[in-house]
Amino acid sequence: MSAVFTEWQGKPLDVVLSICRDLIEDTTFPTVKRWRENGGKVLGHFQVYFPEEIAHAAGMLPVKLHGSQMERKRADSHFGSYICSIVRSSLELCLSGTVELDMFVTHPICDVARNLAGIWGRNFPFPSQILYLPQNANSAYSVEYLRNEYDRVHLEIEKVTGKTVDIAALFNSIQVFNENRRLMRELYAIKRETPWLLSIDEAFVLVNLGGMMPREEHNELLTALIPQIKSRAAKKQDKIRVVYEGGFCETPPLDLLRVIGQSCYVVDDDLLIGLRWLLDDVKGTGDPLWNLADAYINCSSYSPVQHDLRKPKEKMLAERVANSNAQAVIVSAAKMCEPGLEEQVAYSKHFDKTNLPYFVTEFEERMTAFDSLQIQLETFVESILFE
């Protein structure tokens, strides 16, 4: 299969980052189009986490449907006005023909997402599936249950591709994705240790690309860019260190992240956490589906849409703040996002008790005006710098 993104090759870092930004903001998803033009099949999956290794092993391109700032001409008529933007913009991508899929998978992460398969199934000829992630991650049978769910979806993928996915193919894909997650961990280590070398919007762009191109290409890109980022001549500025929380599903507009990056160093965040959900390498021996399920349950990050008594959200966020040596938190949530807004309240109460400075805000993926937010954020930052 021919490469879908080669424009960056042989160019200096700043030029590559600019090209990558343009690609992320291109609402026509050119890398996905090129994949299909080359004869490849596409699996689109909704937020937050999907075991993309299974689709990859079957020769499909797994695409993370993160929405778009495109004009919604048809999708709004399929939903009420009281729900988040990402479910509508994701549907618009396919109703408009911008993104062509061969299969769609969603998850019961919230009241809206659990109904998406039915809505997509009525509007498209391709299969629309629900991957039922465990509601009780603390059950002794959660790994076994999830392994069987992965196997069910894996069999549906085989029907779509007409290709049998054997153990060798799965382990090969696991190896590719292990390397991808390792590179993204290295990228985030740069943010934590030397945040003046990598802004929040630049890191977001580089991670985001993984959800719309073959992981082999993403690995090649990150392998080439990380050494260049580390050797940048940027100088440290007098900015506070913050953690950004609230981008686990719908993600903020890129311009909003730029505004935040102008005022402070974002040393950690939960943006696109599904692509970085597994915290260590998935084992390369035994039963690959069991290994993927075990990693999801026992070696994973946290989000408001996974309920695990071992990972209370306030404690996990506090650990993220401590591990990144942050001075404050930006507690954000997408408008109409019930899980995100609920956690925003819990986080605020927790930080009131611990006296950690925090800044509360909301966003919507089609926001275009950020002046008010910028003024409020700058005031917040100054209150910390000059206290």
Side-chain angles (χ1 to χ4, degrees):
M1 189 78 69
S2 301
V4 301
F5 181 47
T6 59
E7 293 85 345
W8 66 273
Q9 295 176 352
K11 295 181 174 63
L13 177 62
D14 289 343
V15 174
V16 173
L17 290 173
S18 178
I19 292 172
C20 291
R21 284 193 193 97
D22 291 343
L23 179 57
I24 290 299
E25 295 184 307
D26 190 334
T27 58
T28 66
F29 287 74
T31 54
V32 181
K33 287 185 182 297
R34 291 170 192 166
W35 176 267
R36 290 194 65 88
E37 289 168 357
N38 291 335
K41 292 183 181 293
V42 178
L43 181 148
H45 60 91
F46 193 66
Q47 309 287 338
V48 170
Y49 172 79
F50 176 76
E52 295 181 312
E53 290 92 335
I54 301 174
H56 180 273
M60 300 187 80
L61 176 65
V63 175
K64 192 172 184 67
L65 296 174
H66 51 75
S68 171
Q69 288 193 310
M70 68 189 304
E71 181 182 359
R72 297 193 297 261
K73 297 180 179 179
R74 300 175 61 184
D76 284 354
S77 64
H78 295 267
F79 298 103
S81 59
Y82 49 85
I83 63 173
C84 59
S85 292
I86 188 172
V87 295
R88 290 181 277 177
S89 57
S90 296
L91 182 63
E92 184 71 36
L93 289 173
C94 291
L95 287 174
S96 64
T98 301
V99 174
E100 296 182 46
L101 302 181
D102 297 282
M103 184 173 176
F104 172 72
V105 180
T106 187
H107 324 278
I109 60 171
C110 65
D111 289 340
V112 177
R114 65 168 46 96
N115 294 303
L116 288 183
I119 295 172
W120 285 65
R122 288 196 298 270
N123 287 278
F124 302 106
F126 50 78
S128 297
Q129 286 285 329
I130 301 175
L131 173 61
Y132 291 96
L133 299 169
Q135 293 299 303
N136 180 9
N138 304 116
S139 166
Y141 298 98
S142 59
V143 174
E144 179 180 352
Y145 162 81
L146 185 56
R147 187 259 175 225
N148 292 334
E149 265 298 282
Y150 285 175
D151 192 35
R152 180 183 64 81
V153 173
H154 146 245
L155 294 175
E156 293 296 326
I157 289 173
E158 287 186 340
K159 292 178 185 178
V160 171
T161 62
K163 175 183 177 181
T164 300
V165 180
D166 58 25
I167 290 178
L170 281 167
F171 277 131
N172 175 70
S173 295
I174 286 173
Q175 184 178 8
V176 170
F177 279 75
N178 279 344
E179 174 65 8
N180 189 245
R181 286 184 288 265
R182 184 194 68 77
L183 289 166
M184 287 191 283
R185 289 195 296 270
E186 189 172 354
L187 204 64
Y188 267 68
I190 297 173
K191 280 183 60 176
R192 284 192 302 274
E193 297 163 12
T194 51
W196 51 92
L197 297 181
L198 186 68
S199 65
I200 180 176
D201 53 295
E202 291 172 337
F204 174 79
V205 164
L206 292 177
V207 172
N208 203 341
L209 288 171
M212 60 178 63
M213 66 172 57
R215 278 307 197 284
E216 293 88 345
E217 290 191 46
H218 194 224
N219 288 349
E220 181 185 0
L221 174 68
L222 294 182
T223 299
L225 294 189
I226 286 174
Q228 297 180 53
I229 294 171
K230 289 181 177 179
S231 62
R232 263 177 153 175
K235 294 182 179 180
K236 182 179 179 180
Q237 297 179 357
D238 188 19
K239 295 181 179 180
I240 67 168
R241 298 168 60 92
V242 305
V243 166
Y244 179 94
E245 190 82 3
F248 63 93
C249 184
E250 183 175 328
T251 54
L254 191 54
D255 285 340
L256 186 151
L257 297 180
R258 289 192 188 112
V259 167
I260 293 173
Q262 290 169 4
S263 299
C264 46
Y265 289 133
V266 179
V267 290
D268 205 350
D269 58 63
D270 66 343
L271 296 167
L272 301 166
I273 194 63
L275 297 177
R276 305 179 287 117
W277 183 254
L278 306 185
L279 300 177
D280 205 346
D281 286 353
V282 179
K283 290 189 292 187
T285 59
D287 179 350
L289 294 181
W290 180 279
N291 295 347
L292 286 167
D294 182 65
Y296 175 85
I297 297 294
N298 295 313
C299 189
S300 57
S301 187
Y302 69 96
S303 85
V305 296
Q306 188 201 42
H307 307 290
D308 189 333
L309 296 177
R310 299 168 299 176
K311 298 187 287 187
K313 308 303 184 300
E314 297 91 335
K315 177 184 176 183
M316 300 304 292
L317 177 53
E319 288 182 1
R320 176 171 281 169
V321 171
N323 292 338
S324 57
N325 195 27
Q327 301 163 266
V329 181
I330 297 176
V331 183
S332 183
K335 291 183 178 179
M336 303 295 180
C337 174
E338 195 170 309
L341 291 168
E342 286 180 353
E343 293 300 332
Q344 195 175 60
V345 174
Y347 291 147
S348 299
K349 289 183 177 179
H350 177 75
F351 292 133
D352 283 338
K353 292 178 181 178
T354 59
N355 293 318
L356 183 73
Y358 64 93
F359 178 84
V360 176
T361 186
E362 291 183 359
F363 66 86
E364 199 265 344
E365 66 183 6
R366 293 204 299 174
M367 286 175 65
T368 56
F370 309 102
D371 291 345
S372 176
L373 173 65
Q374 187 170 20
I375 292 171
Q376 294 174 35
L377 184 58
E378 287 174 352
T379 302
F380 171 74
V381 170
E382 289 174 1
S383 72
I384 296 174
L385 284 173
F386 302 116
E387 67 176 356

